[in-house]
Amino acid sequence: MRAAGVMEFGGPEALQIVDVEPEPLGPGQVRLAVEAAAVSPTDTHARSGAYADRDPVKTPPWVPGMDVAGVVTEVGDGVEHLAVGDAAMGLVVPFGPYGGYREDKVLSANSVVRTPRGATTVEASTLPMNGLTARFSLDLMGLEPGQVLAVTGAAGAYGGYVVQLAKADGLTVVADASEADEQLVRDLGADVVVRRGDDVAERIRAEFPDGVDGLADGSVQDALVLPAVKDGGAVATVRGYRGDGQRGLRFFPTMVRKVAEDRASLDRLRQQVEEGVLTLRVARTFPVEQAAEAHRLLERGGVRGRLVLTF
C-alpha cells in the first residue's frame, strides 16, 4: 500500500513513496480510501525527526500527516454515523507508518465525520486538525461574548479558524496581518487589524489600552506578545509554551491529540462550514509523489491556505 514517508529523518528530500502494510479494522473503527491529505507545519517537524523520541515505532518507515479526507470503504461494529460510500474527513494522530499520507487509513470512528455538504475532499482535508485546534483553544480560554481576543498568525490556517470561530462565539477580535494579508484577515471577520511583527503587542495595546482578555498565539511569538494581554488574561499556545509565571496570566497549551476523538466538535465544525461560518482555504494541490515539493514550499513560508496531497 502506497504512502509518502521517510526511511531516515531529514529535509524534504527524505520524503519518498514507501510501501506500508494495510491496517486491520476493529470495532468502532472506520476505513477510508484517502483521496486528500493536508500538509501542515507539524508534518514537517515529524519528517525531520522532531518527534522521534515520543514515537513508539523505532523502525522505518515513518509517515507524517494529521488530516485526511476520502471515501468510507469499511465500518467496524458499532459504527452508526457513517456508512460505506460516504465522503468523510478525519483527524489522524500519527505514529510510525500510520500517519495520514497513505492511500488507506483506519481511524477511530469518533475521529471521522462526513465532509461538509458542497465541499470537495481536498477542501475538507484542510479542516480537522486546524479546526479542532482552534476550537480547543477557544474552549480552554473560556472567554465570554463581548470579551476581546487577540489572534497572531491570523492569516494562517489555525489563526484564520480562530478568528472565524471567535466571531461566531460573540467575541471582539483584534488580529495581526502583513499589508498583503490585511484584506484577507478583515474578510475572515477581524474587528481590528494591526500590522504583524515583533512589536505587535504594542500595536494591540494601542487599540486596547487595558489589554485584551485572551490571546491565541498562532505565530508562536511566545513572550513577545504577552504584553498585549491584561493581568490574569488567558493565552492559548500551539507549541507547548507555558509562559513566564508573571502577572497571573493563564496559559493553555493546545494539544489537538487531546480532542482527536471529539466527534461532536468535529461535526459541529462541519456544520459551520455548511452555514458559511468557516472558510476552507486550499492554496495548492500536489500528487502524493510530489510530497517533498509540498514540504519545500511550506517551509519557505508565506503560504495562505493549506497545501494538500492527492491520491
Side-chain angles (χ1 to χ4, degrees), residues 110-185:
N110 285 328
S111 298
V112 184
V113 300
R114 288 182 294 109
T115 59
R117 185 176 58 252
T120 66
T121 51
V122 167
E123 291 167 336
S125 74
T126 68
L127 180 62
M129 190 268 283
N130 286 122
L132 279 173
T133 306
R135 181 68 265 164
F136 194 27
S137 287
L138 290 167
D139 291 345
L140 288 169
M141 286 188 286
L143 302 183
E144 298 292 334
Q147 289 191 291
V148 179
L149 174 72
V151 182
T152 66
Y158 164 80
Y161 285 140
V162 172
V163 171
Q164 292 188 305
L165 289 170
K167 288 303 300 175
D169 288 351
L171 303 179
T172 296
V173 175
V174 51
D176 71 348
S178 65
E179 184 176 358
D181 290 330
E182 181 172 345
Q183 191 57 52
L184 166 64
V185 173

Side-chain angles (χ1 to χ4, degrees), residues 56-77:
V57 178
K58 303 303 180 186
T59 56
W62 293 278
V63 175
M66 296 191 69
D67 296 279
V68 293
V71 177
V72 176
T73 58
E74 194 175 0
V75 296
D77 291 344

Side-chain angles (χ1 to χ4, degrees), residues 81-102:
H81 69 287
L82 292 165
V84 172
D86 284 346
M89 61 184 179
L91 173 69
V92 180
V93 178
F95 66 97
Y98 304 115
Y101 295 3
R102 47 184 290 157

